[in-house]
Amino acid sequence: MPKRAHSRPAASVESAPMRGGRQSGQGSVEYVGMVGGVGVLLVALIAVFLLIGDNLTCKFSQAVASIAGGSADCSSDASNAHETENGEADVAVQGPVMRPVPSPSPQQPPWPPAPGVSYGLDPDSYLVETMQSTPRGRQTMRWLIDNYVYVDVNNNKRGAYWNGRQIVLGQGYEHNAGTLIHEANHARYAKEGRKGNPRKLSRDDYIHARIAEEADGVVQAIRATKEFRAAGYDTPERPGEPEYDDAYQNARANGASNTEAEQAGYDAVEQKFYGEGSEAFVTSTRGTTYPEHYGKEWDAHHPCLFGLCF
């Protein structure tokens, strides 16, 4: 926060007649007044700059990035737009960044479409059938209902992501229950206040917090997918699943408990986000690593002006 300007007593300057009727000390008083005025103006400008919030700071960052030949995302929900998987090389790759879309009112029929079915889903769809086949799937849909999270299954949209207001399942994801589990995990982090805040965390801490959230979502989807398969449903292999399985099985073979083995699996998945080269998880739209992606996201919230960073 900007420091409060301390008021200073006005300087007492004795005056004496000068040529042309001017008084001695008048120039000093005017100079002090000018400097004081400039100081007050600068303090006011900085205060306004900070009070307006992230929108202005992000716009400033975008202008600076443009001059430098780069870019900065200034969408109103840029930090909420979640990255999702393409099912092959990438994990949670950035879908199209969208502004928050108000969810339909839960007071309007047919909400919910059927008991235990999340808003926006077709009760007769394969996705709903798969989700209802396991306790984890049913609990996830119940949470979505209780928190008024709309699921937009839309073949006209690309990718799958949580945009801060609703979950979007675009073309190719309309039957993927594992993806819904993954995106619901991001919705939980946001609504339960567990999502990293770039305005309250250091750059490194913010990167680690967001990657931990990503890894948690991947692991939740992996575990859910295994449960769906056990219930007889055909679900594709999840990104990070082979690494999770190897770490889990190795830990169990070495005498680890189930909880310890699950932690080993999580650690293996998380490491993929920090990896290098072709083995690392990267965002598909930008091809950047996750530390790079979330580092830039943090930077967009902390522009610098005249050497001062906010």
Side-chain angles (χ1 to χ4, degrees):
M1 295 180 63
K3 294 182 179 179
R4 180 179 299 176
H6 296 285
S7 60
R8 298 174 56 186
S12 174
V13 180
E14 292 187 2
S15 60
M18 294 182 63
R19 293 179 182 177
R22 295 193 63 182
Q23 296 179 334
S24 78
Q26 184 174 348
S28 298
V29 172
E30 291 175 349
Y31 176 76
V32 171
M34 180 179 67
V35 172
V38 171
V40 170
L41 179 60
L42 285 176
V43 171
L45 286 174
I46 292 174
V48 170
F49 182 80
L50 292 175
L51 288 173
I52 288 178
D54 289 345
N55 186 46
L56 179 58
T57 60
C58 189
K59 292 296 184 183
F60 176 79
S61 178
Q62 188 180 53
V64 172
S66 177
I67 294 173
S71 63
D73 190 353
C74 282
S75 61
S76 63
D77 200 35
S79 62
N80 280 331
H82 167 57
E83 305 192 347
T84 183
E85 57 279 277
N86 67 8
E88 297 178 1
D90 301 342
V91 169
V93 295
Q94 179 71 44
V97 176
M98 301 177 62
R99 295 185 180 279
V101 179
S103 300
S105 169
Q107 304 303 320
Q108 298 175 352
W111 291 43
V117 177
S118 302
Y119 306 131
L121 296 181
D122 178 359
D124 299 321
S125 66
Y126 186 79
L127 173 62
V128 168
E129 183 180 341
T130 304
M131 291 290 289
Q132 289 182 330
S133 70
T134 68
R136 187 192 301 268
R138 293 191 293 271
Q139 290 167 5
T140 297
M141 286 206 294
R142 182 74 258 170
W143 185 89
L144 294 173
I145 293 170
D146 291 343
N147 289 272
Y148 302 103
V149 176
Y150 186 82
V151 182
D152 181 18
V153 181
N154 192 332
N155 283 327
N156 294 322
K157 294 182 179 180
R158 175 174 173 265
Y161 48 91
W162 158 252
N163 69 8
R165 296 292 294 278
Q166 62 180 252
I167 292 171
V168 176
L169 298 180
Q171 188 174 18
Y173 295 95
E174 60 272 22
H175 304 304
N176 199 320
T179 295
L180 180 55
I181 293 287
H182 183 93
E183 301 307 328
N185 193 67
H186 284 279
R188 277 182 179 270
Y189 268 74
K191 288 185 172 290
E192 294 174 2
R194 293 187 287 151
K195 176 184 173 183
N197 188 331
R199 302 296 296 179
K200 295 182 179 180
L201 296 175
S202 69
R203 194 175 192 274
D204 286 344
D205 287 346
Y206 178 72
I207 291 172
H208 291 317
R210 294 311 306 274
I211 288 180
E213 178 184 335
E214 291 283 357
D216 188 18
V218 171
V219 169
Q220 293 299 328
I222 290 172
R223 293 173 182 169
T225 294
K226 293 181 182 299
E227 294 165 359
F228 295 143
R229 289 187 195 131
Y233 290 86
D234 182 19
T235 53
E237 182 179 85
R238 303 297 304 176
E241 190 171 356
E243 292 79 9
Y244 178 90
D245 288 344
D246 288 345
Y248 178 90
Q249 292 166 5
N250 287 337
R252 290 291 282 173
N254 289 321
S257 66
N258 183 67
T259 299
E260 292 170 337
E262 287 182 341
Q263 182 62 49
Y266 172 89
D267 292 342
V269 168
E270 186 177 47
Q271 188 58 41
K272 293 283 288 184
F273 287 96
Y274 293 103
E276 297 180 354
S278 60
E279 296 301 316
F281 288 151
V282 297
T283 61
S284 64
T285 55
R286 297 182 177 89
T288 59
T289 66
Y290 277 81
E292 290 174 333
H293 172 74
Y294 284 122
K296 290 179 180 178
E297 190 172 278
W298 188 92
D299 293 340
H301 290 82
H302 295 267
C304 298
L305 178 65
F306 303 130
L308 298 176
C309 295
F310 306 96

